[in-house]
Amino acid sequence: MIKSMTGYGKSECTINGQKFTAEIRSVNGKSADISLKSQIIPKDKETEIRSLISGKLYRGNIDLFVTAEQSAETEAKEINGDIMAAYLAQLQKLAERDDLKSVFSENIGGGILLQTLLKMPDVVESRKSDLDDEGKKVLVECIMQATDRLDEYRCEEGISIEKDFRTRTGNILNYIDEVESHEQERISMIRERIVSKLADLPVDYDRNRLEQELIYYIEKLDINEEKVRLRQHCKYFLETFAEENPGKKLAFIAQEMGREINTMGSKANHAEIQKIVVRMKDELEKIKEQTLNTL
């Protein structure tokens, strides 16, 4: 089945009254390159999440974003009473020194002391909302729902890619038929051109030998094998759509198609056939571009 490597998926869940959003995006890549762009994802779940995403999406440059909606409770800072008490004990000890008694009595009242303590390092810190095992499970499920939606997006894009592949491969097959319509004329033109050149020579020549050389020369320019192989490659290309994740295989078959088209062009020796070959190359180039984004 044809799938695109480009996609987007989003899912939301609620854990302990807090809303979490998982977004995942992918573009083409040679392998599964997964980036977890969020500090919310529990460290002990990163390996599991990478494995699940890789197993589902197979290939691509994949970015996962997880965000949490802040509530009044989660936005509130947390005062560390133990650290604050430790600072207060140190200040009280300093206030007992003879050389500092006047400083404390003149400059530090109750309100000023409290403000000073709250500004001390690590006294006020962000509230941590660590997830418990059940919360982690719900978050992983949310991420996989987003991944499933990305996969659905890829399938929808794949329908368009397959349609384009079939159209362009069909065009190449039609061009092969056009080439055949010019072949008899091509052979006649080659023969006439050689005979005409020989007729201008001031010496006579062996006509039997000429026929042998003509046959040998025309056989060298024969493109029947290239046409047969190109048709087979096109057929194989279309059959491969039914396989799972056929992108790499399709790219290889497209390369083989290119070899036959190039050989056909080099042997053409005919203006109209060469024009048809150029149109074949144009169709094939667009096929190759699409295989880069095919899973």
Side-chain angles (χ1 to χ4, degrees), residues 1-10 23-28 56-57 144-162 293-295:
M1 178 183 179
I2 296 288
K3 290 184 183 180
S4 170
M5 269 193 279
T6 302
Y8 171 80
K10 179 179 178 181
E23 294 180 272
I24 186 166
R25 301 166 187 169
S26 72
V27 294
N28 58 303
K56 187 73 172 178
L57 301 182
M144 292 316 298
Q145 285 175 2
T147 304
D148 287 339
R149 285 168 188 167
L150 187 150
D151 191 51
E152 291 169 5
Y153 187 105
R154 283 178 159 191
C155 291
E156 291 172 5
E157 287 286 307
I159 293 170
S160 298
I161 291 175
E162 180 175 337
N293 192 38
T294 303
L295 187 62

Side-chain angles (χ1 to χ4, degrees), residues 9-28:
K10 179 179 178 181
S11 183
E12 297 176 348
C13 64
T14 301
I15 304 172
N16 299 327
Q18 188 175 13
K19 181 180 175 183
F20 289 80
T21 302
E23 294 180 272
I24 186 166
R25 301 166 187 169
S26 72
V27 294
N28 58 303

Side-chain angles (χ1 to χ4, degrees), residues 36-88:
L36 307 182
K37 298 181 179 293
S38 174
Q39 295 182 347
I40 296 173
I41 299 171
K43 294 293 182 184
D44 60 337
K45 288 292 181 181
E46 287 186 357
T47 301
E48 178 187 350
I49 289 169
R50 288 180 186 276
S51 178
L52 289 170
I53 291 174
S54 177
K56 187 73 172 178
L57 301 182
Y58 185 61
R59 274 202 302 148
N61 289 316
I62 302 158
D63 293 327
L64 172 65
F65 304 85
V66 179
T67 56
E69 188 177 281
Q70 298 296 321
S71 62
E73 182 181 351
T74 56
E75 285 181 351
K77 303 291 185 179
E78 191 171 72
I79 297 173
N80 192 316
D82 292 338
I83 294 177
M84 189 174 181
Y87 281 128
L88 179 58

Side-chain angles (χ1 to χ4, degrees), residues 150-189:
L150 187 150
D151 191 51
E152 291 169 5
Y153 187 105
R154 283 178 159 191
C155 291
E156 291 172 5
E157 287 286 307
I159 293 170
S160 298
I161 291 175
E162 180 175 337
K163 184 178 178 182
D164 186 65
F165 277 155
R166 289 188 182 279
T167 298
R168 298 194 184 283
T169 306
N171 289 342
I172 291 173
L173 289 168
N174 290 334
Y175 288 142
I176 297 173
D177 295 337
E178 285 189 38
V179 167
E180 289 181 335
S181 69
H182 293 284
E183 279 199 271
Q184 190 58 46
E185 174 192 356
R186 165 176 167 264
I187 294 170
S188 299
M189 285 177 62

Side-chain angles (χ1 to χ4, degrees), residues 248-261:
K248 289 183 178 180
K249 192 171 183 178
L250 291 174
F252 175 75
I253 298 170
Q255 287 181 353
E256 295 301 308
M257 291 163 65
R259 288 192 180 93
E260 303 305 332
I261 292 172

